[in-house]
Amino acid sequence: MTVASAKGEVRVFRDLDELSRAAAGFFCEVAAKAARAGEVFIALSGGSTPQRLYETLSTQDYHDRVPWIKTQLFWSDERCVPPDHPDSNYGNAAAALAGLPISPLNVHRMRGEDPPEDAAREYEAEMREAFKVLPSEVPRFDLMLLGLGEDGHTGSLFPGTTALDDVTHLATSVFVEKLKSHRLTLTFPVINNAANVAFLVSGEKKREIFHRVMEDPSANLPSQRVQPTNGKLVWFVDEAVVGRNR
Ligand code: 6PG
């Protein structure tokens, strides 16, 4: 089922498996279309939800439907840990995508092991280099994957943090008090400049926050600020998120 809302298009699926297959189809569709015009730029999201999507992309049904040789992979956010740490968004996605013909030169991870601010500045430079954009320009991703936290955060754009208002950098570091740790994240100017933004949200734990995002504009949640300027916003959610009697 698909419903249109002020917050984009909501596509509802039976469960995480079905959601992930639909998201994989969307991923392939966006990548194949972008590849007709040149290189493909995709930002992967972190956390647990998209892991099933990454595993699905590696299966027989999908793995050769993405022009991997022309695809540049980035991350929308990262934990400040080394790449081999179990919490690393890069490490988890790389493990799921390991069997695919992706050139290491096209994989742009945020260096979570470096001092956070250095890593953010370095990532910004790496993005500019890969996108070949001028200092005044904002890179335009073909696809930006995002998740939704129970507090309404997305990427590592957490409520009440300075990162929410950073409109001068493409990537920034932020200390998240509730996590007692630093994070690295793309900023809203980059997220909202994407041609396609896809949220993947699964499970009953996300029901309350999903409905607040969709139905309470006064909630002022970070994920409500994801409003692509000239792009498509699609929510891939399952029935556990939406709830049956809504
Ligand atoms: C991260 C994320 C974060 C995540 C949400 C949802 O690094 O954790 O990028 O924004 O997408 O917290 O996480 P789950 O998918 O694990 O619920």
Side-chain angles (χ1 to χ4, degrees):
M1 175 179 76
T2 297
V3 290
S5 90
K7 296 281 177 299
E9 187 186 316
V10 178
R11 299 182 187 177
V12 186
F13 301 93
R14 191 176 53 250
D15 55 23
L16 180 59
D17 265 339
E18 192 181 83
L19 180 162
S20 303
R21 282 196 299 277
F26 186 72
F27 188 110
C28 296
E29 187 188 304
V30 169
K33 183 173 175 221
R36 290 199 288 271
E39 289 194 294
V40 184
F41 293 92
I42 296 176
L44 303 180
S45 61
S48 56
T49 304
Q51 280 304 111
R52 188 72 57 82
L53 162 61
Y54 305 147
E55 291 157 8
T56 302
L57 285 169
S58 298
T59 62
Q60 279 301 326
D61 291 349
Y62 296 92
H63 76 87
D64 58 359
R65 289 171 48 187
V66 175
W68 294 109
I69 203 74
K70 296 178 76 174
T71 301
Q72 302 268 350
L73 293 180
F74 293 79
W75 273 259
S76 46
D77 78 316
E78 187 55 279
R79 289 84 182 278
C80 288
V81 294
D84 57 355
H85 189 283
D87 289 351
S88 168
N89 289 337
Y90 157 78
N92 288 320
L97 300 172
L100 295 172
I102 300 170
S103 161
L105 295 174
N106 289 354
V107 177
H108 307 277
R109 69 178 183 87
M110 295 176 170
R111 294 179 56 85
E113 67 275 31
D114 289 351
E117 202 41 34
D118 294 352
R121 294 290 69 75
E122 185 184 307
Y123 204 64
E124 176 154 344
E126 187 165 344
M127 288 172 75
R128 290 198 185 287
E129 168 67 26
F131 279 86
K132 299 183 179 52
V133 290
L134 298 172
S136 59
E137 293 175 315
V138 177
R140 181 169 168 79
F141 278 93
D142 297 298
L143 176 58
M144 173 75 57
L145 296 179
L146 293 173
L148 175 65
E150 290 181 58
D151 60 359
H153 81 262
T154 191
S156 282
L157 295 160
F158 284 82
T161 61
T162 52
L164 298 179
D165 301 316
D166 186 337
V167 293
T168 55
H169 297 108
L170 305 180
T172 192
S173 69
V174 57
F175 183 75
V176 185
E177 188 58 41
K178 69 186 255 188
L179 301 176
K180 294 282 184 280
S181 67
H182 282 89
R183 288 285 190 97
L184 297 167
T185 188
L186 296 186
T187 55
F188 283 121
V190 180
I191 292 171
N192 285 327
N193 196 38
N196 296 277
V197 179
F199 276 93
L200 275 62
V201 191
S202 169
E204 191 170 353
K205 284 196 302 183
K206 301 290 179 71
R207 185 178 305 175
E208 192 271 335
I209 193 63
F210 173 75
H211 285 290
R212 277 188 72 203
V213 167
M214 287 292 152
E215 298 156 14
D216 179 7
S218 67
N220 191 25
L221 298 164
S223 45
Q224 290 175 316
R225 297 196 201 183
V226 175
Q227 295 175 23
T229 323
N230 177 22
K232 183 174 186 174
L233 174 59
V234 185
W235 291 76
F236 292 83
V237 303
D238 59 20
E239 288 174 359
V241 167
V242 173
R244 288 188 177 286
N245 309 318
R246 296 294 297 203

